[in-house]
Amino acid sequence: MIVLAEAIAAAFSAIRIEWPQTLATGTEPEVTALLVSRLNAMADDNAEEAGLWRSLVRCVGRSDECISYDGAHLEKQPDLSIWLTDRSARFPLMAEAKLLDTSSGKTEALYCSQGVRRFLVGEYGWGGREAFMLGYVRDGSTIPTKLAPYFGQASHAATYSVEVGPITVGIGGDSSRSQHGRNFAFSHLSPPDNAPGPIDLWHVWLQAN
């Protein structure tokens, strides 16, 4: 996960140089499209610096449809689906991305209610124990000043079943890991095997301007 997070941060830095206006003013889907394109270019790149990414990742998709844990929702669309070389094609590593721009109402509260929550209720990533949350930051927000205090409030910690973190991880940029409980159950399995267990969310906040 650390290698993948570093590669995502490096790809974002590259598109910020090439497409500064889009990153500063574009929509979330436009920024994500540029990021996905860059990540797939890295997967096809024979350069030595792309070697680790290429060895771990088959390809990256944008807004690919998936089903929820119980099949109730058949067309859920996480922002990025990362198909890993050593994981079943049925269960890509998923990433949800959110703009962070207080002036337009896109705050850490929206990041959680429209992003983090989707992993906790079994809409996204229910077949795995890890996923990414990406923040495209336009207002100077950081994880220590925004997300950590938000999760630190008792009501929010309960709402999002925070068990650990967010804890800073040892990669460049503004990145951390948090762990959350999940309270849904798989109907095709018997207790205790029907419990999905907690999920680790790797938060990577990327400065868009």
Side-chain angles (χ1 to χ4, degrees):
M1 293 296 288
I2 289 176
V3 170
L4 296 177
E6 289 178 335
I8 290 170
F12 196 84
S13 294
I15 63 172
R16 186 172 58 222
I17 293 172
E18 189 172 357
W19 302 93
Q21 189 63 31
T22 301
L23 264 62
T25 63
T27 65
E28 178 194 301
E30 289 172 338
V31 176
T32 298
L34 292 175
L35 179 59
V36 168
S37 178
R38 181 71 182 187
L39 291 173
N40 279 323
M42 289 166 55
D44 292 334
D45 195 341
N46 291 321
E48 183 177 350
E49 58 267 23
L52 274 177
W53 176 262
R54 191 174 64 250
S55 68
L56 293 172
V57 175
R58 297 176 187 172
C59 65
V60 182
R62 182 171 70 90
S63 298
D64 292 276
E65 292 182 352
C66 67
I67 63 173
S68 59
Y69 81 96
D70 58 358
H73 303 283
L74 303 178
E75 298 180 344
K76 305 306 295 184
Q77 294 181 311
D79 291 315
L80 295 90
S81 298
I82 305 171
W83 276 273
L84 302 177
T85 56
D86 65 347
R87 180 178 291 192
S88 167
R90 294 185 301 152
F91 299 111
L93 179 64
M94 294 184 177
E96 185 71 356
K98 290 286 174 266
L99 288 171
L100 289 160
D101 185 2
T102 304
S103 64
S104 59
K106 300 181 185 303
T107 67
E108 65 275 9
L110 189 67
Y111 174 92
C112 291
S113 65
Q114 299 296 316
V116 169
R117 176 186 169 276
R118 291 172 176 169
F119 292 103
L120 309 188
V121 299
E123 291 183 5
Y124 298 163
W126 52 267
R129 299 291 292 271
E130 294 181 303
F132 280 112
M133 278 295 306
L134 308 182
Y136 304 148
V137 180
R138 290 178 176 165
D139 61 1
S141 294
T142 67
I143 293 173
T145 62
K146 293 292 186 177
L147 185 62
Y150 188 82
F151 279 159
Q153 296 181 37
S155 60
H156 299 152
T159 297
Y160 297 105
S161 303
V162 180
E163 297 181 354
V164 177
I167 299 171
T168 300
V169 294
I171 64 175
D174 190 9
S175 305
S176 70
R177 177 181 61 83
S178 61
Q179 186 176 87
H180 305 261
R182 297 185 286 185
N183 60 10
F184 61 88
F186 298 118
S187 60
H188 65 288
L189 296 174
S190 301
D193 296 330
N194 63 339
I199 188 168
D200 284 359
L201 295 181
W202 292 69
H203 306 271
V204 182
W205 285 22
L206 306 155
Q207 295 297 321
N209 50 24

